[in-house]
Amino acid sequence: MYEKKNNWTPASFIEETVKTLKQQLGNDRVILALSGGVDSSVTAMLLNRAIGKNLACIFVDHGLLRKNEFENVLRDYEHLGLNVKGVDAKDIFFSRLANVTDPEMKRKIIGKGFIDVFEEEARKLDNVKWLGQGTIYPDVVESQSATGTVIKSHHNVGGLPEKMNLKLVEPLSMLYKNEVRLVGSELGMMPHLLKRHPFPGPGLGIRILGCITPEKVRIVQEADDIFIQALRENDWYDRVWQAAAILLPVKSVGVANDKRTYENAIVLRAIHSTDAMTAQWAQLPYDFLAKVSNDIISKVHGVNRVVYDVSSKPPATIEWE
């Protein structure tokens, strides 16, 4: 495992990590879980430098991605020179998640689903012995705290089957998010990939409280897209660490076209952080929030109420589940 020293620099990390990966992996092939986020992208770049064509990248559409994200991510990866295959696995995940409401159970089902898909894809390739993952240090800490208490499972460090056909390689597991971004910049990644807000492995599965359905996914995708685009257009996207729309498992009474409605409530969350270990809620302008709220209620069928999350971490986590 890479040991971070006081004189740590992105360049020295890359040099030492690539050398270690070459020794660790030899001529073995690695299958990597790409998510479109910074962590898995930087992991892919490091592995590509170390083993080149022996890296096979898989981007799984589990049906819980942001709006149009599957197509956008595949297009973004073209410039990196990676061997990437997109896999449509929405039906698998939706069937396994049907009627499941417990947050930890959802995370573990999604985690196992990823592993199952990766192992199926690995069987189509020769000599694949490793599963690469973009695990970073906060993932490790939250999955197993110093007291031995699990704060929440991450699909890349929790929920794995006891018997795996692949070994794990996680070159970023000692780094924080800001350090990962520095490494990505040193590797020459495009700025818009490096500046992307963190997006959890379980995706919208942990931003839809309660059971998951395709209709609920549509609602939160559309609300999230309106929120994120508004942040970009108003020069707020790069000023917050992470932003998201969350769908609550409750409905409330409203009025539309002089008629009573009984529809869903959306929570907007935006936070400031440096390492995801602590976070403060972002004090977005009232007029901005009012505009986003009106746009979501008027454009997203099934929503009649929008609220804003003013909780910090701790005690609240960044994600709602």
Side-chain angles (χ1 to χ4, degrees):
M1 178 183 292
Y2 176 81
E3 181 179 352
K4 191 158 52 175
K5 302 174 182 177
N6 292 333
N7 60 347
W8 185 92
T9 66
S12 65
F13 172 82
I14 293 169
E15 180 181 2
E16 186 173 337
T17 300
V18 169
K19 180 181 177 180
T20 299
L21 289 171
K22 286 181 177 179
Q23 295 172 346
Q24 180 182 12
L25 303 173
N27 292 321
D28 293 347
R29 296 194 74 179
V30 177
I31 188 171
L32 171 67
L34 279 178
S35 68
V38 177
D39 304 335
S40 66
S41 299
V42 172
T43 299
M45 293 289 285
L46 289 169
L47 286 166
N48 191 49
R49 283 202 177 188
I51 61 175
K53 59 182 177 57
N54 281 338
L55 172 65
C57 298
I58 306 297
F59 179 45
V60 177
D61 183 0
H62 52 13
L64 304 169
L65 299 171
R66 284 175 168 156
K67 186 176 180 179
N68 300 324
E69 188 163 23
F70 188 61
E71 298 79 10
N72 293 340
V73 167
L74 289 176
R75 184 179 64 249
D76 282 341
Y77 279 129
E78 290 177 0
H79 88 287
L80 298 179
L82 301 174
N83 175 27
V84 183
K85 178 181 179 180
V87 178
D88 183 348
K90 292 191 290 290
D91 291 344
I92 295 174
F93 285 88
F94 279 132
S95 64
R96 294 186 182 184
L97 289 166
N99 300 316
V100 177
T101 60
D102 180 74
E104 279 298 288
M105 185 62 67
K106 286 197 288 186
R107 284 179 173 272
K108 290 179 179 179
I109 288 172
I110 294 168
K112 186 177 187 306
F114 270 108
I115 299 303
D116 290 346
V117 171
F118 296 146
E119 290 190 332
E120 177 64 27
E121 293 300 321
R123 281 192 285 270
K124 302 174 184 178
L125 302 170
D126 296 327
N127 199 36
V128 174
K129 298 180 180 178
W130 298 83
L131 172 64
Q133 295 189 137
T135 306
I136 63 174
Y137 189 61
D139 296 338
V140 177
V141 172
E142 290 192 332
S143 293
Q144 189 66 50
S145 73
T147 62
T149 302
V150 174
I151 299 174
K152 57 185 178 180
S153 297
H154 294 260
H155 82 268
N156 50 350
V157 289
L160 300 177
E162 292 182 5
K163 183 178 180 181
M164 286 185 60
N165 294 326
L166 302 173
K167 295 177 286 186
L168 290 176
V169 55
E170 299 171 311
L172 304 180
S173 62
M174 296 301 295
L175 301 188
Y176 289 101
K177 179 73 72 174
N178 60 322
E179 294 170 330
V180 175
R181 288 194 170 111
L182 292 173
V183 171
S185 179
E186 185 73 20
L187 287 166
M189 290 177 60
M190 291 188 299
H192 82 273
L193 278 178
L194 292 174
K195 293 180 179 180
R196 281 192 57 171
H197 287 180
F199 189 65
L204 302 181
I206 57 172
R207 293 180 180 176
I208 298 172
L209 277 63
C211 65
I212 297 169
T213 66
E215 173 63 9
K216 290 181 179 180
V217 171
R218 177 197 65 79
I219 290 173
V220 77
Q221 280 180 334
E222 293 185 8
D224 179 83
D225 187 61
I226 290 171
F227 187 27
I228 296 300
Q229 292 306 317
L231 288 168
R232 293 185 187 278
E233 293 167 4
N234 290 272
D235 195 32
W236 270 99
Y237 186 84
D238 292 336
R239 295 160 66 186
V240 298
W241 168 270
Q242 185 172 341
I246 297 96
L247 180 64
L248 295 182
V250 296
K251 292 187 176 183
S252 65
V253 174
V255 178
N257 300 319
D258 296 323
K259 294 181 180 180
R260 179 183 183 276
T261 64
Y262 191 57
E263 302 288 2
N264 297 282
I266 285 286
V267 177
L268 301 181
R269 180 134 169 86
I271 56 97
H272 298 297
S273 184
T274 57
D275 55 17
M277 298 300 292
T278 61
Q280 297 294 322
W281 62 277
Q283 298 185 33
L284 299 177
Y286 289 157
D287 56 350
F288 170 83
L289 290 172
K291 177 67 164 54
V292 172
S293 173
N294 289 335
D295 285 347
I296 289 174
I297 292 172
S298 64
K299 296 177 181 179
V300 182
H301 179 70
V303 176
N304 69 355
R305 192 176 299 272
V306 174
V307 299
Y308 189 57
D309 184 348
V310 294
S311 309
S312 295
K313 176 184 179 180
T317 54
I318 295 174
E319 299 291 344
W320 273 51
E321 288 192 342

Short mmCIF file of all heavy atoms in Angstrom, two decimals, residues 59-112:
data_model
loop_
_atom_site.label_atom_id
_atom_site.label_comp_id
_atom_site.label_asym_id
_atom_site.label_seq_id
_atom_site.Cartn_x
_atom_site.Cartn_y
_atom_site.Cartn_z
N PHE A 59 -18.07 0.77 -17.56
CA PHE A 59 -18.96 1.79 -17.01
C PHE A 59 -20.37 1.23 -17.00
O PHE A 59 -20.96 0.97 -18.05
CB PHE A 59 -18.88 3.07 -17.84
CG PHE A 59 -19.79 4.17 -17.35
CD1 PHE A 59 -19.86 4.47 -16.01
CD2 PHE A 59 -20.56 4.90 -18.24
CE1 PHE A 59 -20.69 5.48 -15.55
CE2 PHE A 59 -21.39 5.91 -17.80
CZ PHE A 59 -21.46 6.21 -16.45
N VAL A 60 -20.90 1.00 -15.81
CA VAL A 60 -22.19 0.34 -15.65
C VAL A 60 -23.30 1.37 -15.48
O VAL A 60 -23.22 2.26 -14.63
CB VAL A 60 -22.17 -0.60 -14.42
CG1 VAL A 60 -23.55 -1.23 -14.21
CG2 VAL A 60 -21.12 -1.68 -14.59
N ASP A 61 -24.33 1.22 -16.30
CA ASP A 61 -25.53 2.03 -16.11
C ASP A 61 -26.49 1.22 -15.24
O ASP A 61 -27.17 0.31 -15.71
CB ASP A 61 -26.18 2.34 -17.46
CG ASP A 61 -27.40 3.25 -17.31
OD1 ASP A 61 -27.73 3.60 -16.17
OD2 ASP A 61 -28.02 3.58 -18.34
N HIS A 62 -26.52 1.54 -13.95
CA HIS A 62 -27.39 0.82 -13.02
C HIS A 62 -28.78 1.46 -12.91
O HIS A 62 -29.58 1.08 -12.06
CB HIS A 62 -26.75 0.69 -11.65
CG HIS A 62 -26.26 1.97 -11.02
ND1 HIS A 62 -26.58 3.22 -11.50
CD2 HIS A 62 -25.46 2.17 -9.94
CE1 HIS A 62 -26.01 4.14 -10.74
NE2 HIS A 62 -25.33 3.52 -9.77
N GLY A 63 -29.04 2.41 -13.80
CA GLY A 63 -30.34 3.06 -13.80
C GLY A 63 -30.47 4.14 -12.76
O GLY A 63 -31.54 4.75 -12.63
N LEU A 64 -29.39 4.41 -12.02
CA LEU A 64 -29.44 5.37 -10.92
C LEU A 64 -28.45 6.51 -11.14
O LEU A 64 -27.99 7.15 -10.20
CB LEU A 64 -29.13 4.65 -9.60
CG LEU A 64 -30.06 3.47 -9.29
CD1 LEU A 64 -29.53 2.66 -8.11
CD2 LEU A 64 -31.48 3.96 -9.01
N LEU A 65 -28.13 6.76 -12.41
CA LEU A 65 -27.23 7.84 -12.77
C LEU A 65 -28.01 9.13 -12.95
O LEU A 65 -29.24 9.14 -13.01
CB LEU A 65 -26.49 7.51 -14.08
CG LEU A 65 -25.62 6.25 -14.06
CD1 LEU A 65 -25.14 5.94 -15.47
CD2 LEU A 65 -24.44 6.44 -13.12
N ARG A 66 -27.28 10.25 -13.04
CA ARG A 66 -27.93 11.51 -13.33
C ARG A 66 -28.47 11.51 -14.77
O ARG A 66 -28.11 10.66 -15.58
CB ARG A 66 -26.93 12.66 -13.14
CG ARG A 66 -26.68 13.00 -11.69
CD ARG A 66 -25.60 14.05 -11.56
NE ARG A 66 -25.53 14.58 -10.21
CZ ARG A 66 -24.45 15.14 -9.69
NH1 ARG A 66 -23.33 15.21 -10.40
NH2 ARG A 66 -24.45 15.62 -8.46
N LYS A 67 -29.28 12.49 -15.07
CA LYS A 67 -29.91 12.60 -16.39
C LYS A 67 -28.85 12.65 -17.49
O LYS A 67 -27.91 13.46 -17.43
CB LYS A 67 -30.78 13.85 -16.44
CG LYS A 67 -31.60 13.98 -17.71
CD LYS A 67 -32.51 15.19 -17.65
CE LYS A 67 -33.33 15.34 -18.92
NZ LYS A 67 -34.24 16.51 -18.86
N ASN A 68 -28.96 11.75 -18.47
CA ASN A 68 -28.08 11.68 -19.65
C ASN A 68 -26.62 11.37 -19.29
O ASN A 68 -25.73 11.54 -20.12
CB ASN A 68 -28.12 12.97 -20.46
CG ASN A 68 -29.50 13.29 -20.98
OD1 ASN A 68 -30.25 12.39 -21.34
ND2 ASN A 68 -29.85 14.55 -21.02
N GLU A 69 -26.37 10.91 -18.06
CA GLU A 69 -24.98 10.73 -17.62
C GLU A 69 -24.27 9.58 -18.32
O GLU A 69 -23.07 9.66 -18.59
CB GLU A 69 -24.92 10.53 -16.10
CG GLU A 69 -23.51 10.53 -15.56
CD GLU A 69 -23.45 10.75 -14.06
OE1 GLU A 69 -24.46 10.48 -13.38
OE2 GLU A 69 -22.40 11.20 -13.57
N PHE A 70 -24.98 8.53 -18.65
CA PHE A 70 -24.35 7.38 -19.30
C PHE A 70 -23.69 7.81 -20.61
O PHE A 70 -22.51 7.53 -20.86
CB PHE A 70 -25.40 6.29 -19.56
CG PHE A 70 -24.82 4.98 -20.04
CD1 PHE A 70 -23.92 4.27 -19.26
CD2 PHE A 70 -25.19 4.47 -21.27
CE1 PHE A 70 -23.40 3.05 -19.70
CE2 PHE A 70 -24.68 3.25 -21.71
CZ PHE A 70 -23.79 2.55 -20.93
N GLU A 71 -24.44 8.53 -21.45
CA GLU A 71 -23.91 8.98 -22.73
C GLU A 71 -22.82 10.03 -22.55
O GLU A 71 -21.79 9.99 -23.23
CB GLU A 71 -25.04 9.55 -23.60
CG GLU A 71 -26.14 8.56 -23.96
CD GLU A 71 -27.13 8.32 -22.84
OE1 GLU A 71 -27.08 9.06 -21.82
OE2 GLU A 71 -27.95 7.38 -22.96
N ASN A 72 -23.03 10.97 -21.64
CA ASN A 72 -22.06 12.04 -21.43
C ASN A 72 -20.72 11.52 -20.93
O ASN A 72 -19.66 11.98 -21.36
CB ASN A 72 -22.61 13.07 -20.44
CG ASN A 72 -23.80 13.84 -21.00
OD1 ASN A 72 -24.00 13.90 -22.21
ND2 ASN A 72 -24.60 14.42 -20.12
N VAL A 73 -20.75 10.57 -19.99
CA VAL A 73 -19.52 10.04 -19.43
C VAL A 73 -18.73 9.27 -20.48
O VAL A 73 -17.50 9.43 -20.60
CB VAL A 73 -19.82 9.15 -18.21
CG1 VAL A 73 -18.59 8.34 -17.80
CG2 VAL A 73 -20.27 10.00 -17.04
N LEU A 74 -19.40 8.44 -21.27
CA LEU A 74 -18.69 7.69 -22.31
C LEU A 74 -18.01 8.64 -23.29
O LEU A 74 -16.89 8.38 -23.75
CB LEU A 74 -19.66 6.76 -23.04
CG LEU A 74 -20.17 5.55 -22.25
CD1 LEU A 74 -21.20 4.78 -23.06
CD2 LEU A 74 -19.01 4.63 -21.86
N ARG A 75 -18.69 9.75 -23.60
CA ARG A 75 -18.09 10.74 -24.50
C ARG A 75 -16.88 11.41 -23.86
O ARG A 75 -15.85 11.63 -24.50
CB ARG A 75 -19.13 11.78 -24.89
CG ARG A 75 -18.62 12.80 -25.91
CD ARG A 75 -19.69 13.80 -26.29
NE ARG A 75 -20.10 14.61 -25.13
CZ ARG A 75 -21.29 14.51 -24.55
NH1 ARG A 75 -22.18 13.64 -25.01
NH2 ARG A 75 -21.59 15.28 -23.52
N ASP A 76 -16.98 11.71 -22.56
CA ASP A 76 -15.88 12.39 -21.87
C ASP A 76 -14.62 11.53 -21.81
O ASP A 76 -13.50 12.06 -21.79
CB ASP A 76 -16.30 12.76 -20.44
CG ASP A 76 -17.19 13.99 -20.40
OD1 ASP A 76 -17.18 14.76 -21.37
OD2 ASP A 76 -17.89 14.18 -19.39
N TYR A 77 -14.79 10.22 -21.77
CA TYR A 77 -13.63 9.35 -21.63
C TYR A 77 -12.85 9.16 -22.94
O TYR A 77 -11.76 8.58 -22.92
CB TYR A 77 -14.05 7.98 -21.09
CG TYR A 77 -14.23 7.96 -19.60
CD1 TYR A 77 -15.38 7.45 -19.02
CD2 TYR A 77 -13.24 8.45 -18.74
CE1 TYR A 77 -15.55 7.44 -17.64
CE2 TYR A 77 -13.41 8.45 -17.38
CZ TYR A 77 -14.56 7.94 -16.83
OH TYR A 77 -14.73 7.93 -15.47
N GLU A 78 -13.41 9.60 -24.05
CA GLU A 78 -12.75 9.39 -25.33
C GLU A 78 -11.34 9.99 -25.37
O GLU A 78 -10.43 9.44 -25.96
CB GLU A 78 -13.61 9.96 -26.46
CG GLU A 78 -14.90 9.18 -26.71
CD GLU A 78 -15.75 9.81 -27.79
OE1 GLU A 78 -15.34 10.85 -28.34
OE2 GLU A 78 -16.83 9.26 -28.10
N HIS A 79 -11.16 11.15 -24.71
CA HIS A 79 -9.87 11.84 -24.79
C HIS A 79 -8.79 11.19 -23.92
O HIS A 79 -7.61 11.49 -24.07
CB HIS A 79 -10.03 13.31 -24.38
CG HIS A 79 -9.87 13.56 -22.90
ND1 HIS A 79 -10.84 13.19 -21.99
CD2 HIS A 79 -8.86 14.11 -22.18
CE1 HIS A 79 -10.43 13.52 -20.78
NE2 HIS A 79 -9.24 14.08 -20.85
N LEU A 80 -9.20 10.29 -23.01
CA LEU A 80 -8.23 9.69 -22.09
C LEU A 80 -7.51 8.49 -22.67
O LEU A 80 -6.55 7.99 -22.09
CB LEU A 80 -8.94 9.28 -20.78
CG LEU A 80 -9.58 10.42 -19.97
CD1 LEU A 80 -10.26 9.86 -18.73
CD2 LEU A 80 -8.55 11.48 -19.60
N GLY A 81 -7.97 7.99 -23.81
CA GLY A 81 -7.31 6.86 -24.45
C GLY A 81 -7.52 5.56 -23.70
O GLY A 81 -6.69 4.65 -23.79
N LEU A 82 -8.63 5.45 -22.95
CA LEU A 82 -8.90 4.24 -22.17
C LEU A 82 -9.78 3.27 -22.95
O LEU A 82 -10.59 3.68 -23.78
CB LEU A 82 -9.59 4.61 -20.86
CG LEU A 82 -8.84 5.56 -19.93
CD1 LEU A 82 -9.73 5.95 -18.76
CD2 LEU A 82 -7.56 4.93 -19.43
N ASN A 83 -9.62 2.00 -22.64
CA ASN A 83 -10.48 0.97 -23.21
C ASN A 83 -11.73 0.86 -22.35
O ASN A 83 -11.72 0.23 -21.29
CB ASN A 83 -9.73 -0.37 -23.24
CG ASN A 83 -10.59 -1.51 -23.73
OD1 ASN A 83 -11.54 -1.31 -24.48
ND2 ASN A 83 -10.27 -2.72 -23.30
N VAL A 84 -12.83 1.50 -22.77
CA VAL A 84 -14.03 1.61 -21.96
C VAL A 84 -15.21 0.91 -22.65
O VAL A 84 -15.48 1.14 -23.82
CB VAL A 84 -14.41 3.07 -21.69
CG1 VAL A 84 -15.64 3.15 -20.78
CG2 VAL A 84 -13.25 3.83 -21.09
N LYS A 85 -15.92 0.09 -21.88
CA LYS A 85 -17.14 -0.56 -22.37
C LYS A 85 -18.30 -0.15 -21.49
O LYS A 85 -18.24 -0.24 -20.27
CB LYS A 85 -16.98 -2.08 -22.33
CG LYS A 85 -18.24 -2.82 -22.79
CD LYS A 85 -18.06 -4.33 -22.73
CE LYS A 85 -19.33 -5.06 -23.17
NZ LYS A 85 -19.16 -6.54 -23.10
N GLY A 86 -19.38 0.33 -22.11
CA GLY A 86 -20.58 0.67 -21.37
C GLY A 86 -21.51 -0.53 -21.28
O GLY A 86 -21.72 -1.23 -22.28
N VAL A 87 -22.05 -0.78 -20.10
CA VAL A 87 -22.92 -1.93 -19.88
C VAL A 87 -24.26 -1.45 -19.33
O VAL A 87 -24.32 -0.80 -18.28
CB VAL A 87 -22.30 -2.94 -18.88
CG1 VAL A 87 -23.26 -4.10 -18.64
CG2 VAL A 87 -20.96 -3.43 -19.39
N ASP A 88 -25.35 -1.76 -20.04
CA ASP A 88 -26.69 -1.39 -19.59
C ASP A 88 -27.21 -2.50 -18.67
O ASP A 88 -27.55 -3.59 -19.12
CB ASP A 88 -27.62 -1.23 -20.79
CG ASP A 88 -29.02 -0.77 -20.39
OD1 ASP A 88 -29.33 -0.81 -19.18
OD2 ASP A 88 -29.80 -0.39 -21.28
N ALA A 89 -27.23 -2.21 -17.37
CA ALA A 89 -27.68 -3.21 -16.39
C ALA A 89 -28.86 -2.72 -15.57
O ALA A 89 -29.10 -3.20 -14.46
CB ALA A 89 -26.51 -3.58 -15.48
N LYS A 90 -29.61 -1.77 -16.10
CA LYS A 90 -30.70 -1.16 -15.34
C LYS A 90 -31.71 -2.20 -14.84
O LYS A 90 -32.15 -2.15 -13.69
CB LYS A 90 -31.42 -0.12 -16.21
CG LYS A 90 -30.61 1.12 -16.54
CD LYS A 90 -31.46 2.20 -17.15
CE LYS A 90 -31.92 1.83 -18.56
NZ LYS A 90 -30.79 1.84 -19.52
N ASP A 91 -32.08 -3.13 -15.70
CA ASP A 91 -33.11 -4.11 -15.31
C ASP A 91 -32.66 -4.95 -14.12
O ASP A 91 -33.47 -5.29 -13.24
CB ASP A 91 -33.45 -5.01 -16.50
CG ASP A 91 -34.18 -4.26 -17.60
OD1 ASP A 91 -34.68 -3.15 -17.32
OD2 ASP A 91 -34.24 -4.77 -18.74
N ILE A 92 -31.38 -5.31 -14.10
CA ILE A 92 -30.85 -6.12 -12.99
C ILE A 92 -31.00 -5.38 -11.66
O ILE A 92 -31.50 -5.92 -10.68
CB ILE A 92 -29.36 -6.47 -13.24
CG1 ILE A 92 -29.22 -7.37 -14.47
CG2 ILE A 92 -28.74 -7.12 -12.00
CD1 ILE A 92 -27.77 -7.63 -14.86
N PHE A 93 -30.59 -4.12 -11.65
CA PHE A 93 -30.61 -3.35 -10.41
C PHE A 93 -32.04 -3.03 -9.96
O PHE A 93 -32.36 -3.13 -8.77
CB PHE A 93 -29.78 -2.08 -10.56
CG PHE A 93 -28.30 -2.32 -10.54
CD1 PHE A 93 -27.61 -2.62 -11.71
CD2 PHE A 93 -27.59 -2.28 -9.36
CE1 PHE A 93 -26.25 -2.86 -11.70
CE2 PHE A 93 -26.22 -2.51 -9.33
CZ PHE A 93 -25.56 -2.80 -10.50
N PHE A 94 -32.90 -2.64 -10.90
CA PHE A 94 -34.27 -2.31 -10.51
C PHE A 94 -34.99 -3.53 -9.95
O PHE A 94 -35.76 -3.42 -8.99
CB PHE A 94 -35.04 -1.74 -11.71
CG PHE A 94 -34.79 -0.29 -11.97
CD1 PHE A 94 -34.49 0.16 -13.25
CD2 PHE A 94 -34.83 0.63 -10.94
CE1 PHE A 94 -34.26 1.50 -13.50
CE2 PHE A 94 -34.59 1.98 -11.17
CZ PHE A 94 -34.30 2.41 -12.46
N SER A 95 -34.74 -4.71 -10.52
CA SER A 95 -35.42 -5.90 -10.02
C SER A 95 -34.93 -6.27 -8.63
O SER A 95 -35.71 -6.67 -7.77
CB SER A 95 -35.21 -7.07 -10.99
OG SER A 95 -33.84 -7.43 -11.08
N ARG A 96 -33.64 -6.12 -8.39
CA ARG A 96 -33.10 -6.47 -7.08
C ARG A 96 -33.50 -5.47 -6.00
O ARG A 96 -33.59 -5.81 -4.82
CB ARG A 96 -31.57 -6.57 -7.14
CG ARG A 96 -31.06 -7.71 -8.00
CD ARG A 96 -29.55 -7.82 -7.90
NE ARG A 96 -29.02 -8.90 -8.75
CZ ARG A 96 -27.74 -9.26 -8.80
NH1 ARG A 96 -26.85 -8.63 -8.02
NH2 ARG A 96 -27.33 -10.21 -9.60
N LEU A 97 -33.73 -4.23 -6.40
CA LEU A 97 -34.05 -3.17 -5.44
C LEU A 97 -35.54 -3.01 -5.19
O LEU A 97 -35.94 -2.20 -4.34
CB LEU A 97 -33.47 -1.84 -5.92
CG LEU A 97 -31.95 -1.69 -5.87
CD1 LEU A 97 -31.49 -0.49 -6.68
CD2 LEU A 97 -31.47 -1.56 -4.42
N ALA A 98 -36.35 -3.75 -5.90
CA ALA A 98 -37.80 -3.61 -5.77
C ALA A 98 -38.25 -3.80 -4.32
O ALA A 98 -37.89 -4.79 -3.67
CB ALA A 98 -38.50 -4.62 -6.67
N ASN A 99 -38.97 -2.80 -3.81
CA ASN A 99 -39.57 -2.83 -2.47
C ASN A 99 -38.55 -2.79 -1.33
O ASN A 99 -38.91 -3.01 -0.18
CB ASN A 99 -40.46 -4.07 -2.30
CG ASN A 99 -41.59 -4.10 -3.31
OD1 ASN A 99 -42.24 -3.08 -3.57
ND2 ASN A 99 -41.82 -5.26 -3.91
N VAL A 100 -37.28 -2.50 -1.62
CA VAL A 100 -36.26 -2.39 -0.58
C VAL A 100 -36.21 -0.94 -0.09
O VAL A 100 -36.06 -0.02 -0.90
CB VAL A 100 -34.87 -2.82 -1.10
CG1 VAL A 100 -33.81 -2.61 -0.02
CG2 VAL A 100 -34.90 -4.26 -1.56
N THR A 101 -36.32 -0.73 1.21
CA THR A 101 -36.32 0.63 1.76
C THR A 101 -35.14 0.91 2.69
O THR A 101 -34.78 2.07 2.88
CB THR A 101 -37.62 0.88 2.55
OG1 THR A 101 -37.72 -0.07 3.61
CG2 THR A 101 -38.84 0.75 1.63
N ASP A 102 -34.54 -0.11 3.28
CA ASP A 102 -33.45 0.11 4.23
C ASP A 102 -32.20 0.64 3.52
O ASP A 102 -31.74 0.03 2.55
CB ASP A 102 -33.11 -1.21 4.93
CG ASP A 102 -31.97 -1.03 5.93
OD1 ASP A 102 -32.21 -0.46 7.00
OD2 ASP A 102 -30.84 -1.45 5.60
N PRO A 103 -31.63 1.76 3.97
CA PRO A 103 -30.49 2.36 3.29
C PRO A 103 -29.28 1.43 3.16
O PRO A 103 -28.65 1.35 2.10
CB PRO A 103 -30.15 3.58 4.15
CG PRO A 103 -31.40 3.90 4.87
CD PRO A 103 -32.08 2.59 5.11
N GLU A 104 -28.94 0.73 4.25
CA GLU A 104 -27.78 -0.16 4.20
C GLU A 104 -28.03 -1.32 3.24
O GLU A 104 -27.14 -1.74 2.51
CB GLU A 104 -27.45 -0.69 5.59
CG GLU A 104 -26.66 0.28 6.45
CD GLU A 104 -25.30 0.59 5.84
OE1 GLU A 104 -24.41 -0.27 5.84
OE2 GLU A 104 -25.15 1.71 5.32
N MET A 105 -29.26 -1.83 3.24
CA MET A 105 -29.59 -2.92 2.33
C MET A 105 -29.49 -2.46 0.87
O MET A 105 -28.99 -3.18 0.01
CB MET A 105 -30.99 -3.46 2.63
CG MET A 105 -31.37 -4.67 1.79
SD MET A 105 -30.26 -6.08 2.10
CE MET A 105 -30.70 -6.46 3.82
N LYS A 106 -29.96 -1.25 0.60
CA LYS A 106 -29.87 -0.72 -0.76
C LYS A 106 -28.41 -0.60 -1.20
O LYS A 106 -28.04 -1.00 -2.31
CB LYS A 106 -30.56 0.65 -0.85
CG LYS A 106 -32.07 0.58 -0.84
CD LYS A 106 -32.72 1.86 -1.34
CE LYS A 106 -32.59 3.00 -0.38
NZ LYS A 106 -33.36 4.19 -0.82
N ARG A 107 -27.58 -0.06 -0.30
CA ARG A 107 -26.15 0.06 -0.64
C ARG A 107 -25.53 -1.30 -0.93
O ARG A 107 -24.74 -1.45 -1.88
CB ARG A 107 -25.40 0.73 0.52
CG ARG A 107 -25.61 2.24 0.63
CD ARG A 107 -24.84 2.80 1.81
NE ARG A 107 -24.89 4.26 1.84
CZ ARG A 107 -24.03 5.06 1.23
NH1 ARG A 107 -23.05 4.54 0.53
NH2 ARG A 107 -24.14 6.36 1.32
N LYS A 108 -25.86 -2.28 -0.13
CA LYS A 108 -25.24 -3.60 -0.30
C LYS A 108 -25.76 -4.30 -1.56
O LYS A 108 -25.00 -4.99 -2.24
CB LYS A 108 -25.47 -4.44 0.95
CG LYS A 108 -24.65 -3.93 2.14
CD LYS A 108 -24.88 -4.74 3.40
CE LYS A 108 -24.01 -4.19 4.55
NZ LYS A 108 -24.22 -4.93 5.81
N ILE A 109 -27.04 -4.13 -1.86
CA ILE A 109 -27.58 -4.70 -3.09
C ILE A 109 -26.92 -4.07 -4.31
O ILE A 109 -26.54 -4.77 -5.25
CB ILE A 109 -29.11 -4.50 -3.14
CG1 ILE A 109 -29.80 -5.41 -2.13
CG2 ILE A 109 -29.65 -4.77 -4.55
CD1 ILE A 109 -31.29 -5.15 -1.98
N ILE A 110 -26.76 -2.76 -4.29
CA ILE A 110 -26.11 -2.08 -5.40
C ILE A 110 -24.64 -2.49 -5.50
O ILE A 110 -24.12 -2.75 -6.60
CB ILE A 110 -26.24 -0.55 -5.24
CG1 ILE A 110 -27.71 -0.14 -5.35
CG2 ILE A 110 -25.40 0.18 -6.29
CD1 ILE A 110 -27.99 1.29 -4.94
N GLY A 111 -23.97 -2.59 -4.35
CA GLY A 111 -22.58 -3.02 -4.35
C GLY A 111 -22.41 -4.41 -4.92
O GLY A 111 -21.53 -4.66 -5.75
N LYS A 112 -23.27 -5.33 -4.49
CA LYS A 112 -23.18 -6.70 -5.01
C LYS A 112 -23.51 -6.74 -6.50
O LYS A 112 -22.92 -7.50 -7.27
CB LYS A 112 -24.11 -7.63 -4.24
CG LYS A 112 -23.93 -9.10 -4.65
CD LYS A 112 -24.81 -10.02 -3.84
CE LYS A 112 -24.49 -11.49 -4.15
NZ LYS A 112 -24.57 -11.79 -5.59
#
